[in-house]
């Protein structure tokens, strides 16, 4: 579900968010991924792996939310704008 939300925001804010957010899903391996591979080169239990996944998902969701809030304020968007987008059949 988190990926669906991110992709929906990418479509809506593609011209506003900038390349950093669009490229997250397109690069083969980022420096973060490489570091995590080195850091977690040991076998984790399924429970610990789920904890790490949740931690990372929350981190990136928080960053995206803060960035979108900034864009929202810069563009002077309103709740009416969001309602219009939600009602748009093309979304």
């Amino acid at each position: 579900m988190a990926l669906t939300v991110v992709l929906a925001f990418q479509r809506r804010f593609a011209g506003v968010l900038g390349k950093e957010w669009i490229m997250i899903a397109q690069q083969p391996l980022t420096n973060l991924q490489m570091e995590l591979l080195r850091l977690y080169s040991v076998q984790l239990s399924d429970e610990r792996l789920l904890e790490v996944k949740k931690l990372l998902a929350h981190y990136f969701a928080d960053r995206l939310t803060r960035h979108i809030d900034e864009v929202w304020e810069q563009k002077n968007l309103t709740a009416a704008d969001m309602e219009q987008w939600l009602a748009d059949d093309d979304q």
Side-chain angles (χ1 to χ4, degrees):
M1 175 163 160
L3 181 58
T4 303
V5 171
V6 169
L7 293 176
F9 275 107
Q10 284 180 354
R11 279 196 306 273
R12 174 54 66 192
F13 293 103
V16 180
L17 289 177
K19 291 181 182 178
E20 174 188 356
W21 292 100
I22 304 305
M23 294 301 292
I24 286 175
Q26 296 175 354
Q27 293 179 354
L29 284 178
T30 65
N31 60 346
L32 172 62
Q33 290 167 325
M34 293 299 294
E35 186 62 30
L36 288 171
L37 286 172
R38 283 191 289 273
L39 183 63
Y40 290 105
S41 61
V42 297
Q43 188 69 22
L44 294 177
S45 67
D46 289 343
E47 182 179 318
R48 291 276 171 112
L49 182 59
L50 183 58
E51 289 175 17
V52 170
K53 287 179 179 182
K54 286 180 181 180
L55 178 74
L56 291 172
H58 286 281
Y59 170 78
F60 284 109
D62 182 57
R63 282 192 59 208
L64 179 61
T65 300
R66 283 187 274 139
H67 187 72
I68 290 172
D69 286 345
E70 290 172 13
V71 170
W72 191 271
E73 288 183 27
Q74 290 170 358
K75 299 291 182 182
N76 294 318
L77 297 171
T78 66
D81 294 319
M82 180 60 77
E83 291 297 324
Q84 182 179 2
W85 294 339
L86 293 172
D88 187 352
D89 290 336
D90 292 334
Q91 294 301 313

